Amino acid sequence: MVINQSTNFGIDIMEGCASTALAASTVPGFFISVLGLRGRFRATDAAFLALLLVSTFVLNWARLCPMVFSRENCEYWHNGDGTAVVSLALGLMVIGIAWLAAHYHAQPRAAA
């Protein structure tokens, strides 16, 4: 619960706003996209998945920060057009990072 005492306003960030709720949809999307693009997983996909998770949390926090200042901001970012902006950004992140993962080629190691 985030409470802004100066405006007598509070929001419950667990109701659809938690970063874990967003991650629950981006992670399967990443796996499905990588499988669709490459057909199998590689060990390097773990690093790209970590990048996706960090990006998801950062994007969600960027959305949550303005929500605590007013009811109007909360309504915009939680129920209004701001949710479409966040959804589009998440979708582009999933596809973009999955594409990077699928097309990543590790450099061969030099023989010692």
Side-chain angles (χ1 to χ4, degrees):
M1 188 74 165
V2 177
I3 299 174
N4 186 338
Q5 293 178 348
S6 64
T7 60
N8 195 23
F9 170 68
I11 60 170
D12 179 6
I13 63 168
M14 294 307 292
E15 185 185 319
C17 291
S19 296
T20 52
L22 296 178
S25 63
T26 58
V27 170
F30 173 81
F31 286 126
I32 292 168
S33 298
V34 169
L35 276 178
L37 290 167
R38 190 191 313 125
R40 62 187 174 95
F41 295 116
R42 292 186 185 150
T44 56
D45 293 341
F48 288 99
L49 179 59
L51 173 64
L52 177 63
L53 288 172
V54 168
S55 300
T56 299
F57 277 68
V58 168
L59 178 65
N60 194 47
W61 277 96
R63 175 183 77 115
L64 289 175
C65 288
M67 285 176 61
V68 300
F69 293 113
S70 70
R71 293 180 196 277
E72 293 80 17
N73 284 354
C74 181
E75 187 62 30
Y76 177 81
W77 288 107
H78 194 268
N79 299 319
D81 292 339
T83 58
V85 172
V86 172
S87 295
L88 176 63
L90 283 172
L92 292 174
M93 279 182 357
V94 168
I95 297 299
I97 293 174
W99 187 88
L100 288 173
H103 292 86
Y104 176 78
H105 299 291
Q107 297 297 323
R109 295 184 184 188

